[in-house]
DNA sequence: ACCGACGGGACCTCCCGTTGTT
DNA sequence: AACAACGGGAGGTCCCGTCGGT
């Protein structure tokens, strides 16, 4: 049933293209309606493919949900990495992560992820229903956390962040602030909450992360 | 169908006690399994009461879910208020709110709310399914936000917080940090993430909220 | 889910009566269409009860099928026992068993078991699909086999059957002949095949079972 | 769609060989799982050929099932004929038929027909579902019955069987005993039941079929 | 000659809510 | 006030058969 990438990676067959499109559409759908809460009928409507066709590509609704989540997490991760690559300084990279969640210019209903952050959504939903979802949510969060730790570590090594800073606690703090801000922005459909958090994190960086003498030479939100 | 408080408020009848118990049990159940995702069968099992009996007290599963959410939010709010009342200084009150979410000494499976913060849970879930849930989640969040605004305002008036601080942005920041921290603690079943956030907020209070001269005279996490 | 005989055995509740009626109707249906092959829709049509109601009484279609088979086997067994009780001589009892399968006077579509012998039917079908069916078919057959062994044993003790006869082999022989005859009668909707087998078994009794001197003093088919 | 024997009978084309292999594999599969109960997926798995390929050779699953049954019946018939050809005496030929069903030396899971006698299986299953199956089961049984009648008739003509014997009733009796014995042997996975029936039939032949003076000149089981 | 891909429908299960009964 | 019993329907899975490629 795993028709993922069997026959080379050059010319995707029709089935592979269909399958990829299903995953893409489902990621959008399920990030709103819940990865486990979305019904097959909704998937049928969202993808334009019938049940009979769906079950050719995925063994179960659950398997499709997992794959959609994996896809969504990969998308978010890519967005984060791309946002970071625009900056050289570790502190700027940290702020860029938050900015990656700000869709205010693209509109709240824009791509890619209506429904908020998939990692947080699955983290919350995993408590409800499903063990497999929990595993995936934890793995996704862990990946993000480790990414942040690496950024902070590198910042310390490069002298962009004070030596005494604890990378793990800093990572947790950033994630908590970002996810909390995303939740508020999404709940109210109002990104000003995210901007408030951004200002807070910028201050935090100045107060506690940046080396004392180097304060304040960057764009302020 | 709203048998909430019909026969005076002194001696609750048997029906009223049953009804209250149902709501209490459902709040526990639904905060884990989702307010809309929890099925009537699960409610029957969790409460030990049969469907016929349930529908005597509640017009629909949805109505019960709303009431359970209201109850859960009220419980959390009460816990927050009680935590605040232990402190006179506005800054301490703010930190006490976060501490109210720390169940590390009571165990992760302890009361009252296995499954994390009901406000955040409903905020996330409201995106999935239900308009009524969204309204309630927003109202609950609004209530909390306003409470924080009042605390900050009062702190400014009493000279415990710097005059220039924006109460709304500060409230948003605290909520974001707390909810993000709760989410992490719950996802990993590990309250150390919440402690990291606590340290961060304590620093933030010292750096940006407390009047300059008054820095640092209270227990540090 | 096993609402079999909870509340005393005196006044069956409405549910118990419904349940019993479902089993009765299903035994008829499933003995024709196969215990596993019969669909829930067919059960709904045969019983006049809807799916929602069915699953209140039985955990699954399979559970209902098992119960229907058990009921059918019990009915056949009762019919066999009643037929035997009309005769004192062991040899006559053996022939009476075959006669119990002869519905030629009641019509081929008569009660109780359109569709042939439930034991044989389940024995054949058990090979197809289901392990639980095989267990039940074996147990039912074993019960019948042991009944025959007891009849032969008693016949030997009372001097109605020759001492040297092997009860087990005799039981197997009778069962094989009867079931084979029932199958033919049912396949062709023609009981003359069963009569042929009856004549054969009567001869067999005279030739090999009855004591030498006592030959031939009973009604011949 | 009937690509049975289009291009002469000398060099079977690749398609014809594939088709024959499908029928052969299906006969094995369907004799266990039921001719109508076996799903196309099971056929796909058993044959290693995909649906698109299957439906090139057969118009429907039903048509394939019929052909598989015909093949199975032909196989059994051939086995019976071959067993008979080893004996000249009619009485020995009758016993040889039963022996043809005894796979105890080849193992219960041996070829050719795991799942018991196809004629009996289809006779039982035909009651369930399908009119076409019933026709075929009756025809197959009729063919066997007539074969037995011819054997008995020839035996009478050659003086190996008493003149007064009724060939039809004798044929029915043999079939009933054999099929009943096969059923027992298969149900218990124990061929001793078939041996019991064999002994019984040998006695029956001595007592009622063989001419009086010619008793006992054959191997006893 | 065969396979991959898909549509539409039937199946079993479970759900929610109502009703009659105790 | 509570339960047992039931109807109607939605949900997820799998089925059979067709069609376009190759």
């Amino acid at each position: 049933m795993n028709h993922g990438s069997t026959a080379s990676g050059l010319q995707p067959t029709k089935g592979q293209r269909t399958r990829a499109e299903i995953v893409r559409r489902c990621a959008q759908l399920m990030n709103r309606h819940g990865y486990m809460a979305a019904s097959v009928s909704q998937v049928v409507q969202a993808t334009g493919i019938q049940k009979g066709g769906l079950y050719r590509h995925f063994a179960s609704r659950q398997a499709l949900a997992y794959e959609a989540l994996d896809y969504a997490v990969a998308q978010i991760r890519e967005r984060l990495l791309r946002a970071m690559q625009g900056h050289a300084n570790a502190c700027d990279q940290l702020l860029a992560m938050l900015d990656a969640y700000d869709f205010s210019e693209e509109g709240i209903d824009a791509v890619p992820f209506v429904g908020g952050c998939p990692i947080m959504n699955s983290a919350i939903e995993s408590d409800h229903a499903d063990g497999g979802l929990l595993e995936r949510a934890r793995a996704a969060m862990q990946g993000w956390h480790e990414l942040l730790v690496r950024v902070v570590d590198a910042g310390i090594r490069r002298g962009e962040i004070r030596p005494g800073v604890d990378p793990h606690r800093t990572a947790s703090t950033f994630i908590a602030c970002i996810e909390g801000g995303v939740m508020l922005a999404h709940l109210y459909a109002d990104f000003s909450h995210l901007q408030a958090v951004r200002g807070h994190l910028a201050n935090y960086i100045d107060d506690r992360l940046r080396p004392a003498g180097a304060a304040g030479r960057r764009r302020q939100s």
Side-chain angles (χ1 to χ4, degrees), chain A:
Chain A
M1 192 61 63
N2 181 11
H3 306 181
S5 54
T6 315
S8 82
L10 296 173
Q11 281 284 83
T13 74
K14 182 167 178 249
Q16 285 171 333
R17 264 183 288 124
T18 302
R19 181 191 168 90
E21 184 65 15
I22 293 172
V23 170
R24 214 179 58 80
R25 294 265 179 87
C26 274
Q28 301 263 353
L29 170 73
M30 291 179 164
N31 204 48
R32 291 212 72 157
H33 287 268
Y35 286 87
M36 290 305 158
S39 75
V40 172
S41 313
Q42 287 174 310
V43 173
V44 166
Q45 193 171 7
T47 60
I49 203 171
Q50 300 295 3
K51 283 187 282 192
L54 274 179
Y55 278 83
R56 161 157 203 84
H57 294 289
F58 305 94
S60 66
R61 189 185 61 88
Q62 193 182 46
L64 170 55
Y66 288 168
E67 216 154 318
L69 175 55
D70 290 343
Y71 173 82
V73 169
Q75 288 295 105
I76 281 289
R77 185 178 181 85
E78 212 166 324
R79 187 177 172 101
L80 291 175
L81 290 173
R82 202 155 31 223
M84 279 173 49
Q85 284 163 0
H87 302 271
N89 186 289
C91 295
D92 295 336
Q93 288 179 334
L94 293 175
L95 277 181
M97 288 205 183
L98 183 142
D99 293 334
Y101 279 97
D102 188 339
F103 299 99
S104 56
E105 296 177 4
E106 313 169 35
I108 186 89
D109 288 331
V111 281
F113 291 106
V114 185
C117 174
I119 303 178
M120 180 168 55
N121 289 354
S122 58
I124 298 294
E125 191 183 2
S126 68
D127 199 32
H128 300 10
D130 192 279
L133 206 63
L134 179 59
E135 286 180 42
R136 277 174 157 80
R138 280 180 172 165
M141 187 66 82
Q142 197 59 33
W144 190 14
H145 198 271
E146 287 165 2
L147 174 62
L148 277 162
V149 168
R150 283 198 298 273
V151 169
V152 173
D153 264 333
I156 295 173
R157 273 199 309 274
R158 292 197 301 262
E160 298 158 7
I161 294 180
R162 299 179 194 171
V165 167
D166 180 329
H168 283 89
R169 292 173 70 97
T170 305
S172 294
T173 297
F174 265 84
I175 290 178
C177 286
I178 292 175
E179 292 290 33
V182 169
M183 185 265 293
L184 284 175
H186 193 72
L187 174 61
Y188 288 116
D190 174 3
F191 280 99
S192 73
H193 294 275
L194 205 53
Q195 292 305 322
V197 172
R198 192 189 197 283
H200 166 73
L201 287 178
N203 288 339
Y204 167 53
I205 288 172
D206 288 346
D207 293 341
R208 299 276 170 170
L209 296 190
R210 260 190 240 276
R217 216 107 15 241
R218 75 262 149 237
R219 77 177 200 283
Q220 191 93 11
S221 83

